Amino acid sequence: MRFKTRRPRQDAGGDTGTYRVQLYSRRAVLIREFSLDARENGICDMEAAEEHLRQTLPPTDSSSLTVALIDESPDRHHFVQFDIEPT
């Protein structure tokens, strides 16, 4: 899996609140799950959250890491899934 994404149309005003982040190994095993606060990290939408994670997640040395980013806003059901390749 190289790059997979689903991005529904953005509403005016951008996303606010909390994102759930799930990190998976190459074999689709959940490694870690945590929340990402949009306001605390200066994130205005899903694309900014994805870029923030690409810049802040530690690089992997041996295998790819799949990231699932889920908007937990009550009126939205957006998610993005992408891979971070080894360095």
Side-chain angles (χ1 to χ4, degrees):
M1 167 174 36
R2 282 301 237 190
F3 183 78
K4 226 180 192 180
T5 184
R6 175 180 173 236
R7 293 185 186 168
R9 189 183 60 191
Q10 296 289 326
D11 298 330
D15 297 333
T16 59
T18 304
Y19 296 96
R20 184 170 21 136
V21 180
Q22 297 174 329
L23 306 178
Y24 292 91
S25 71
R26 179 173 35 173
R27 297 184 188 266
V29 174
L30 180 63
I31 298 171
R32 184 172 172 214
E33 183 173 17
F34 60 93
S35 293
L36 178 66
D37 187 288
R39 288 178 219 115
E40 182 179 303
N41 291 288
I43 297 169
C44 61
D45 59 20
M46 289 290 282
E47 289 181 11
E50 179 181 340
E51 186 60 32
H52 174 77
L53 291 170
R54 286 184 182 275
Q55 293 177 3
T56 59
L57 286 174
T60 58
D61 292 330
S62 59
S63 65
S64 64
L65 179 70
T66 299
V67 180
L69 174 64
I70 303 147
D71 185 351
E72 292 193 320
S73 300
D75 59 336
R76 295 188 174 107
H77 301 286
H78 301 176
F79 69 90
V80 175
Q81 180 176 321
F82 58 94
D83 291 339
I84 296 178
E85 298 297 328
T87 54

